[in-house]
Amino acid sequence: MLGRAIRAVLVSGIALLLLGGWLRFELQPPEFDVPERGAVLTHVTVVEPDRRRLDDQTIRIDGGRIVSIEPSKASEVGSGTGRYVLPGLVDMHVHHPPDTILGDVELFGMLFLAHGVTAVRDTGNFDGAVMESRRSIRRGEAVGPRTFACGPILDGAPPFWPGSRVVETPAEAQRVVRELARDGVDCIKVYERLTVEVLDAVRDAAGQADLPVVGHVPAGIGFREARLDDVQHLTGILEEGQTELTDARLRSVITASAVLDIAHTPTLVTWERTSKLSDYPRLRADPAARVLPRYFRDVLWHPQNDPRFRDRTAEDWAGLGEAPENARRVAGRLHEGGVQLLLGTDTMAPFLFPGSSLHEEMREFERIGLDPEEIWATATWRAGEALGEPDLGRIVSGAPADLLIFREDPTRDLGALETLEAVVADGRFYPVALLEEALARRRVHFEGALVDGLTMWAAGWVSPSGS
Ligand SMILES: [Zn+2]
């Protein structure tokens, strides 16, 4: 009797193991071979936006760096004749998806690169895996952009987002910031429920560790009092639903930003997309959303699953409808006033896509009055400066080898973004066609009945609106 029970347990144990192994195998996305570092680009036009332009150059890349830029010799075979080489784009506000066997971190990485985004700043990581995934990218074990990271979001109790680090006292703030600095973060992300005492302590500790403080101006703390280094989404200026933004108020924000050296990452594309969430079925049906597995659009991005949108009334949504235009007006005024704006998207927030949403943000910047060359400068070397990496975004010897090769010059017309042919990321050369082919294989994989069915079934357990 006992023997039979043991045998039954053993048999079912083995069956479960086999099933687990099979599922693991089936769920894993197709592999992608990351190219080795090193490349030579000949007879190209080097464009450093708003800085310089050099015709007929040869760029040598070794390891992850540009080693030389010099006039091409007539004898050199023209690998890049007629092509324009620009620095890679930087998205200053993204969130990484959970790092699971489904491989979404790498899928995001492929999409970033395929759109010329060679560096991102993760402004709040929910599962704590970003530090490890960026190491895999550097080692060439995964495809993806250079990643700067703030670590977890720091917030008061209870935190707005799950996965945030709760910080309730100044002493705790000091300890947490020192700990994050030791872990190697590049910035500190602060959120809406911090008290003024705690925010002050965060800023002091971050200052000692030479880390910029980026984030939301907490509710109830003045813009000037918060003194963040880089304000996200125009928080603290344009309150949601607020239609009256006086001129005096705007002028005071511009002055404070200039005097206290505060940059703004307005994420205009986020305002635009959020206002459209009122018509969720339409966003969900947009073919653009199919670059990611279905659980993003059907579950993760369903307004019912987002604490910001769950309990909205029709009136709330109507108020939000004006937000994109207000945000544009404010960002335009900040720019006119000489305040530093940066380009970020809030990718992984609803219906914001890795890479293509940064192109949309570039077009938003054009709408508010920047010319394409200025936008390129802002999205490349100015972002590098804001990240404390003055060589990032430059095309000079010794700079990180993050380069884009275009058929047409996109600093003349942003429409030429579509003529991207190849990307060099951390010294690795990726033809865009190769990335697109890998993305197409990924899509076949995640749209397959088994992966789609299993992930949607699992998502249904996690969230009530999963279908
Ligand atoms: Zn964000």
Side-chain angles (χ1 to χ4, degrees):
M1 196 58 193
L2 193 65
R4 206 195 273 173
I6 289 171
R7 204 161 61 207
V9 167
L10 266 177
V11 167
S12 45
I14 290 167
L16 271 175
L17 270 176
L18 286 174
L19 183 71
W22 171 76
L23 275 181
R24 220 184 137 72
F25 177 77
E26 288 293 329
L27 286 171
Q28 239 158 14
E31 293 215 9
F32 180 88
D33 287 326
V34 176
E36 293 296 318
R37 290 195 172 108
V40 182
L41 312 173
T42 58
H43 298 290
V44 296
T45 300
V46 170
V47 182
E48 285 200 283
D50 262 350
R51 291 188 93 120
R52 62 173 190 168
R53 182 173 282 268
L54 303 166
D55 284 331
D56 205 21
Q57 299 290 305
T58 292
I59 304 175
R60 274 170 223 287
I61 293 153
D62 189 21
R65 302 257 156 202
I66 297 171
V67 290
S68 67
I69 299 159
E70 39 195 39
S72 299
K73 297 183 187 72
S75 59
E76 281 176 313
V77 178
S79 68
T81 308
R83 303 299 192 263
Y84 298 86
V85 174
L86 281 95
L89 295 164
V90 185
D91 188 334
M92 294 293 274
H93 191 130
V94 309
H95 300 277
H96 275 71
D99 190 12
T100 68
I101 190 174
L102 301 171
D104 289 335
V105 174
E106 203 178 31
L107 175 61
F108 272 48
M110 282 178 183
L111 284 164
F112 281 127
L113 294 192
H115 292 87
V117 177
T118 53
V120 297
R121 177 174 68 180
D122 184 296
T123 51
N125 181 225
F126 298 99
D127 69 348
V130 68
M131 303 304 271
E132 183 49 39
S133 57
R134 78 172 180 181
R135 275 191 288 270
S136 313
I137 293 169
R138 294 242 44 181
R139 287 194 296 254
E141 294 157 10
V143 200
R146 190 180 298 278
T147 304
F148 296 83
C150 300
I153 291 172
L154 306 189
D155 204 357
F160 190 83
W161 294 106
S164 300
R165 190 78 176 259
V166 172
V167 188
E168 289 185 281
T169 65
E172 213 179 345
Q174 294 270 356
R175 189 169 50 73
V176 168
V177 171
R178 275 199 300 268
E179 196 184 297
L180 290 172
R182 265 200 309 276
D183 288 349
V185 301
D186 306 289
C187 42
I188 298 294
K189 171 77 181 278
V190 294
Y191 216 71
E192 294 179 3
R193 294 178 178 173
L194 291 175
T195 63
V196 70
E197 295 78 21
V198 172
L199 181 60
D200 281 345
V202 166
R203 219 177 28 236
D204 284 350
Q208 279 161 29
D210 208 15
L211 294 172
V213 177
V214 311
H216 294 211
V217 173
I221 301 184
F223 178 83
R224 197 180 270 269
E225 199 181 6
R227 266 190 295 134
L228 306 185
D229 295 298
D230 182 349
V231 171
Q232 307 302 295
H233 322 298
L234 306 170
T235 48
I237 311 170
L238 181 80
E239 299 305 338
E240 189 187 300
Q242 175 190 32
T243 45
E244 292 295 315
L245 182 67
T246 62
D247 226 50
R249 170 74 183 142
L250 250 179
R251 275 202 305 274
S252 111
V253 168
I254 291 169
T255 309
S257 301
V259 171
L260 302 170
D261 200 16
I262 296 171
H264 290 262
T265 306
T267 67
L268 298 171
V269 64
T270 313
W271 285 100
E272 164 67 23
R273 208 49 41 84
T274 303
S275 75
K276 298 240 159 74
L277 265 181
S278 58
D279 193 357
Y280 164 75
R282 184 160 162 191
L283 280 181
R284 183 177 170 271
D286 185 346
R290 301 189 62 177
V291 297
L292 295 177
R294 191 153 64 97
Y295 46 85
F296 281 92
R297 58 185 181 275
D298 280 9
V299 183
L300 226 55
W301 295 347
H302 195 296
Q304 281 309 320
N305 293 329
D306 193 316
R308 293 168 300 174
F309 311 122
R310 192 173 292 144
D311 303 313
R312 298 247 168 183
T313 63
E315 202 180 317
D316 295 336
W317 283 114
L320 205 52
E322 292 161 25
E325 221 19 81
N326 285 333
R328 283 183 199 113
R329 187 166 61 89
V330 173
R333 285 288 299 276
L334 292 176
H335 174 66
E336 270 168 41
V339 174
Q340 175 68 63
L341 298 185
L342 296 165
L343 288 103
T345 60
D346 212 359
T347 286
M348 205 181 74
F351 299 93
L352 294 159
F353 307 108
S356 62
S357 287
L358 190 70
H359 294 188
E360 292 181 87
E361 185 70 3
M362 293 172 87
R363 293 196 174 93
E364 287 282 357
F365 269 49
E366 199 169 27
R367 284 177 77 166
I368 64 166
L370 283 80
D371 65 50
E373 184 129 12
E374 233 178 332
I375 296 167
W376 269 95
T378 310
T380 56
W381 57 272
R382 285 192 192 281
E385 284 179 349
L387 289 164
E389 299 270 340
D391 271 355
L392 185 74
R394 295 295 317 274
I395 308 183
V396 292
S397 55
D402 289 357
L403 300 168
L404 309 180
I405 298 134
F406 286 96
R407 256 192 333 274
E408 288 166 33
D409 181 357
T411 63
R412 295 288 185 251
D413 179 351
L414 291 182
L417 279 164
E418 305 306 319
T419 69
L420 181 65
E421 281 190 340
V423 176
V424 178
D426 198 17
R428 304 177 195 279
F429 185 89
Y430 299 87
V432 168
L434 182 83
L435 291 167
E436 268 165 6
E437 191 212 316
L439 282 164
R441 265 186 288 139
R442 281 273 176 143
R443 187 162 152 183
V444 168
H445 168 76
F446 65 67
E447 283 186 348
L450 184 76
V451 175
D452 181 72
L454 274 173
T455 52
M456 287 303 294
W457 173 79
W461 281 94
V462 180
S463 107
S465 69
S467 45

